[in-house]
Amino acid sequence: MNTRVLGTHGPRVSSLGLGLMGMSDLYGPADEAESLATIHAALDAGVTLLDTGDFYGMGHNELLLRDALRGRNRDNAVISVKFGALRDALGGWSGYDGRPEAVKNFLAYSLRRLGTDHIDIYRPARLDPNVPIEETVGAIAEMVQAGLVRHIGLSEVGADTLRRAQAVHPIADLQIEYSLLSRGIEDEILPTARELGIGITAYGVLSRGLLSGHWKKNRELGGQDFRGISPRFQGENLDRNLDLVEALRKIAEDKGASVAQVAIAWVAAQGEDIVPLVGARRRERLTEALGANTVTLTADDLAAIEQAVPAGAAAGARYAAPLMEHLDSEH
């Protein structure tokens, strides 16, 4: 497994990270035994960056990661935790809390659930519109001083927020959606991150399965799968997006690779400061994703991909309108 450094101040991590969200939440039921086996397979393959959130399954995801790391060398894992999302017992959402006292409260619970004495990268899941980012980052900085957090990250914030946060404490990385179908960061956010020495951990590199090459138009989505309300999976939008996937499939076949591998390799090829996160929930999907590390895209390949899936080609927004309102990166 190759490695990359997250920004100027961040840790060295595997060149591909594993996002654990789908093992607990938002993509419908998951098999816990298979989830654990997938995390173990990732660790055995050299994946070190493991991304979770304290609100994924209302703590379940952190407990799952604790179980997966039991008996393993903790130093071989770089645990990235998102916090701040407020939920209820039925899985509903109630906004975000970035107050300093809330930061310390969330962290205390995460440390206990994870069974660790520190978190490697700690980040607010979204910007709390009622709390200046300086206060939220300042509180995490106190936890860095206390040795409970190693690095500070951010998620889905815009260029101005990046600058304000960096003025308080060095930011290791920005976690944000980036894929062939979601390229909004290229205009201002990515150049700003690079100017400030902030790395990018790119989630949604397969656009929640759209770019996997396995998505079927007639796939039934259960009520617990948030893709059921995602604009890109609806009606004519889905038809248009799947047409883009088929154009990408032709390129992948010429490379002797899968659609997913080419999509992941494309994100990785956008810069050494970018680490793709894959949300594999099963070992077979993880194995396929890891194969992206062996896919080398030439200049001609990249040009062909750009022609097949040009910037802005995706049909539909990346989130439903109410969720888009929470994205500082989109304002």
Side-chain angles (χ1 to χ4, degrees):
M1 175 68 66
N2 294 325
T3 61
R4 293 183 171 186
V5 178
L6 289 178
T8 304
H9 304 283
R12 180 171 291 278
V13 299
S14 51
S15 59
L16 194 69
L18 181 64
L20 309 184
M21 180 187 77
M23 296 178 181
S24 298
D25 214 352
L26 300 175
Y27 285 156
D31 182 312
E32 187 157 315
E34 181 62 23
S35 296
L36 288 169
T38 301
I39 298 171
H40 288 157
L43 290 166
D44 292 342
V47 174
T48 61
L49 180 59
L50 302 172
D51 182 74
T52 183
D54 64 8
F55 52 92
Y56 293 162
M58 282 66 79
H60 175 270
N61 208 237
E62 290 181 321
L63 293 170
L64 180 76
L65 181 53
R66 178 201 64 189
D67 291 346
L69 291 176
R70 185 173 286 125
R72 299 268 177 158
N73 184 345
R74 168 66 177 85
D75 292 337
N76 289 337
V78 177
I79 300 176
S80 165
V81 177
K82 290 185 291 298
F83 71 89
L86 303 176
R87 304 190 67 178
D88 60 37
L90 299 179
W93 302 83
S94 308
Y96 298 90
D97 192 346
R99 294 173 301 140
E101 57 267 41
V103 170
K104 297 170 185 179
N105 177 78
F106 289 133
L107 176 62
Y109 282 76
S110 285
L111 290 169
R112 177 60 64 90
R113 281 190 294 261
L114 288 165
T116 184
D117 63 358
H118 72 278
I119 289 172
D120 297 285
I121 312 173
Y122 200 51
R123 72 183 81 244
R126 297 289 185 269
L127 180 68
D128 182 344
N130 300 312
V131 179
I133 190 62
E134 291 86 352
E135 293 185 14
T136 303
V137 170
I140 307 175
E142 291 181 24
M143 300 298 93
V144 173
Q145 290 283 330
L148 301 174
V149 171
R150 295 282 170 83
H151 304 280
I152 301 178
L154 293 173
S155 176
E156 287 289 356
V157 300
D160 179 62
T161 302
L162 276 181
R163 292 186 187 282
R164 291 169 55 195
Q166 180 80 350
V168 175
H169 187 280
I171 303 299
D173 69 320
L174 169 66
Q175 188 176 119
I176 194 164
E177 186 170 355
Y178 189 35
S179 73
L180 278 165
L181 297 184
S182 298
R183 296 175 60 177
I185 74 169
E186 293 176 345
D187 294 334
E188 185 179 10
I189 294 173
L190 182 56
T192 300
R194 285 176 168 160
E195 174 193 336
L196 298 174
I198 297 172
I200 299 290
T201 46
Y203 76 88
V205 293
L206 296 181
S207 294
R208 300 170 181 82
L210 266 180
L211 287 171
S212 68
H214 305 295
W215 197 269
K216 303 297 182 185
K217 181 181 177 181
N218 59 356
R219 177 170 172 175
E220 294 288 334
L221 293 173
Q224 293 181 318
D225 193 323
F226 91 105
R227 289 171 292 193
I229 62 169
S230 175
R232 291 183 178 172
F233 290 82
Q234 310 303 314
E236 292 184 0
N237 285 352
L238 180 60
D239 292 338
R240 289 170 57 191
N241 291 329
L242 289 179
D243 285 343
L244 296 174
V245 173
E246 290 311 304
L248 189 62
R249 192 185 305 276
K250 295 176 182 176
I251 297 170
E253 289 175 349
D254 288 343
K255 294 287 293 182
S258 71
V259 175
Q261 288 167 345
V262 168
I264 296 167
W266 180 87
V267 174
Q270 303 312 300
E272 287 289 323
D273 53 350
I274 298 173
V275 175
L277 290 172
V278 297
R281 301 197 294 172
R282 303 196 306 276
R283 282 168 287 180
E284 63 188 88
R285 292 288 183 254
L286 173 68
T287 298
E288 180 183 15
L290 291 173
N293 284 331
T294 65
V295 176
T296 300
L297 299 176
T298 66
D300 288 344
D301 293 331
L302 292 170
I305 292 169
E306 183 72 29
Q307 185 173 7
V309 190
R318 57 193 182 102
Y319 285 100
L323 298 178
M324 289 289 282
E325 288 300 313
H326 294 293
L327 301 179
D328 180 63
S329 54
E330 294 286 340
H331 301 293

